[in-house]
Amino acid sequence: MSLIVYIAVMAVVTYLIRMIPFAFFRKKITSRFFRSFLYYIPYAVLSAMTIPAIFYSTGNLVTSVAGTVVAVILAYFDLPLIVVALSASAAAFIFGLF
Amino acid sequence: MKSNFLRGMYHGIPIALGYLSVSFGFGIMAAKAGLSVFAASAVSATNLTSAGQAAGVDIIAAGGTIIEMILVQLTINIRYSLMALSLSQKLDRKFTLPHRLAASYGITDEIFAVCSAQKQPLTPAYMYGMILVAFVGWVTGTALGAEAGQLLPVSVNSAMGIVLYGMFLAIIIPPSKKQKSVLAVVIAAAAVSILFKYVFTMVSGGFAVIISAVAASLAGAALFPVKDEEESAP
């Protein structure tokens, strides 16, 4: 199978998954239950993606936990996304030096 | 219009920095699987997704079938449908069909996350600015990884692995602090996700995220239905 066919198939399938609901769902949802569901979905998706994966994200439990703790504290005090994200990485790096 | 684009670009910077490191890893992997720098970059430019690309390159390397490729991409990436549906509810009127066809290309976990956290309706310019910056980070990282993967110190590369997760925490923690219902949903989703990781290990990562998120959100919708003033601000 030619490489370009593989890449094209991957790209088309991935695009359609994103495009169909985004382009063709035009109505405002009126069901209170469904609206509530969609309200919670972003937080639930991010939480499920982050935990427990964040503890494996640097390949080392100690540095991952150090980065996580720093991120949780800074996020709790409403610091900007980029500050939280880079501080987590810096903490993981510093703990990795020991 | 212009300021929306710039604001999108600015909000895209942490995403691009995270992508640089993640896609660097993907570039190394693609090069090992026998893809050229150009082919690896083409995969990143056309797909803009991490897990799906990694699985796709595995299939290419193994000479798998097209059916297998389609099923794997569907399984891993179907979560984007849920994200796209969620975002479709907070689009500005400027989002006509051509804009929707174009911007949907850039719905990634991270772009979805940042867009969801916006208070105001999403404009096409805002999303394009963010997608552009994220795209540059993603493709540049891939090309660098495929070209020069082994040159970066391991300590730097591994510490970069936490960047995107740190950003996710920065998105979910402030609203969890303000609303007990959000906190409950966040904890429930994390708990189910942990169950999949350590107990029901036969479920793939993509499906585990979908099931965890859907279960927690259904429970949240049943127990804590949102009032009208809340739903505009997810």
Side-chain angles (χ1 to χ4, degrees), chain B residues 24-107:
Chain B
F24 196 86
F26 170 75
I28 296 174
M29 185 196 146
K32 276 190 195 147
L35 271 69
S36 66
V37 174
F38 179 76
S41 307
V43 172
S44 281
T46 54
N47 282 264
L48 207 67
T49 176
S50 58
Q53 288 183 201
V57 165
D58 280 344
I59 293 172
I60 293 172
T65 62
I66 291 299
I67 294 294
E68 187 182 0
M69 180 67 95
I70 292 172
L71 288 178
V72 165
Q73 296 302 319
L74 268 177
T75 308
I76 296 179
N77 292 334
I78 198 74
R79 69 183 185 284
Y80 293 133
S81 286
L82 220 49
M83 298 182 188
L85 190 60
S86 177
L87 289 182
S88 78
Q89 295 295 299
K90 59 176 303 175
L91 298 181
D92 189 87
R93 277 203 199 133
K94 289 185 188 130
F95 249 113
T96 53
L97 185 64
H99 283 309
R100 288 176 187 236
L101 293 178
S104 57
Y105 152 81
I107 300 172

Side-chain angles (χ1 to χ4, degrees), chain B:
Chain B
M1 194 70 179
K2 189 183 170 207
S3 73
N4 270 327
F5 187 76
L6 290 179
R7 201 164 55 86
M9 287 182 76
Y10 179 69
H11 289 179
I13 293 171
I15 300 178
L17 289 173
Y19 278 6
L20 213 49
S21 62
V22 175
S23 63
F24 196 86
F26 170 75
I28 296 174
M29 185 196 146
K32 276 190 195 147
L35 271 69
S36 66
V37 174
F38 179 76
S41 307
V43 172
S44 281
T46 54
N47 282 264
L48 207 67
T49 176
S50 58
Q53 288 183 201
V57 165
D58 280 344
I59 293 172
I60 293 172
T65 62
I66 291 299
I67 294 294
E68 187 182 0
M69 180 67 95
I70 292 172
L71 288 178
V72 165
Q73 296 302 319
L74 268 177
T75 308
I76 296 179
N77 292 334
I78 198 74
R79 69 183 185 284
Y80 293 133
S81 286
L82 220 49
M83 298 182 188
L85 190 60
S86 177
L87 289 182
S88 78
Q89 295 295 299
K90 59 176 303 175
L91 298 181
D92 189 87
R93 277 203 199 133
K94 289 185 188 130
F95 249 113
T96 53
L97 185 64
H99 283 309
R100 288 176 187 236
L101 293 178
S104 57
Y105 152 81
I107 300 172
T108 66
D109 299 325
E110 296 74 18
I111 287 171
F112 162 73
V114 174
C115 285
S116 303
Q118 297 310 304
K119 296 269 189 286
Q120 60 268 66
L122 300 167
T123 59
Y126 177 75
M127 283 191 74
Y128 293 150
M130 190 180 298
I131 292 167
L132 175 67
V133 171
F135 172 90
V136 170
W138 187 245
V139 176
T140 307
T142 304
L144 291 175
E147 182 71 51
Q150 283 82 352
L151 300 180
L152 204 70
V154 180
S155 56
V156 174
N157 210 9
S158 57
M160 292 287 273
I162 201 168
V163 170
L164 293 175
Y165 294 110
M167 195 181 86
F168 292 162
L169 288 176
I171 290 169
I172 58 182
I173 288 176
S176 301
K177 204 172 66 177
K178 292 184 198 91
Q179 280 178 271
K180 287 211 176 73
S181 59
V182 173
L183 179 64
V185 168
V186 161
I187 291 174
V192 179
S193 171
I194 287 171
L195 274 183
F196 278 118
K197 173 79 185 178
Y198 300 107
V199 184
F200 306 109
T201 50
M202 64 294 242
V203 179
S204 73
F207 267 130
V209 166
I210 294 171
I211 298 169
S212 307
V214 168
S217 300
L218 284 176
L223 296 173
F224 320 105
V226 292
K227 294 178 200 74
D228 281 346
E229 63 269 31
E230 283 171 340
E231 35 127 357
S232 58

